[in-house]
């Protein structure tokens, strides 16, 4: 994936047509693992590493604008990154998203 940034640090993460509803897609932006999710008519980008255990959130389920860690069951709000239940107690970073045509752009240089 190309990593050319615009002035706000946005890079093309994937195409909108690659995203299936409620199915996370893992992408690497530079050295940052990101889970891109289309759900409830919006596209979200959240750091792909669970704050409780070092596992990929993109392997989990998406429901009610939350992504669930498959290992221990903590869910994180896709809008805020805040955990909704134990064992996770720390939020994970979420990143701003822009849609231009079929391109999904994400900026990992700024957190939402």
């Amino acid at each position: 994936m190309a990593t050319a940034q615009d002035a706000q640090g946005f890079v093309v993460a994937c195409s909108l047509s690659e995203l299936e509803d409620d199915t996370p897609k893992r992408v690497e932006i530079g050295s940052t693992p990101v889970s891109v999710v289309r759900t409830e008519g919006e596209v979200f980008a959240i750091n792909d590493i669970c704050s409780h255990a070092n596992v990929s959130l993109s392997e989990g389920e998406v429901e009610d604008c939350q992504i669930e860690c498959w290992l221990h069951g903590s869910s994180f709000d896709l809008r805020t990154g805040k955990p909704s239940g134990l064992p996770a107690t720390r939020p994970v970073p979420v990143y701003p998203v822009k849609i231009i045509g079929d391109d999904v752009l994400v900026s990992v240089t700024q957190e939402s």
Side-chain angles (χ1 to χ4, degrees), residues 62-79:
V62 173
E63 187 175 345
D64 297 328
C65 213
Q66 304 230 1
I67 190 167
E68 182 181 51
C69 178
W70 61 269
L71 187 59
H72 295 116
S74 288
S75 290
F76 298 88
D77 189 303
L78 290 167
R79 297 163 292 223

Side-chain angles (χ1 to χ4, degrees), residues 23-105:
T23 303
K25 178 175 181 57
R26 181 183 166 102
V27 298
E28 294 275 335
I29 299 178
S31 61
T32 305
V34 176
S35 183
V36 181
V37 181
R38 179 167 54 181
T39 188
E40 299 181 9
E42 294 185 65
V43 177
F44 300 94
I46 189 167
N47 190 285
D48 194 46
I49 304 301
C50 178
S51 63
H52 169 255
N54 190 22
V55 297
S56 174
L57 291 175
S58 64
E59 296 177 28
E61 302 288 322
V62 173
E63 187 175 345
D64 297 328
C65 213
Q66 304 230 1
I67 190 167
E68 182 181 51
C69 178
W70 61 269
L71 187 59
H72 295 116
S74 288
S75 290
F76 298 88
D77 189 303
L78 290 167
R79 297 163 292 223
T80 65
K82 292 181 181 174
S84 62
L86 298 173
T89 58
R90 291 177 293 124
V92 294
V94 294
Y95 307 110
V97 173
K98 292 194 300 192
I99 309 295
I100 300 177
D102 189 47
D103 291 335
V104 176
L105 292 89

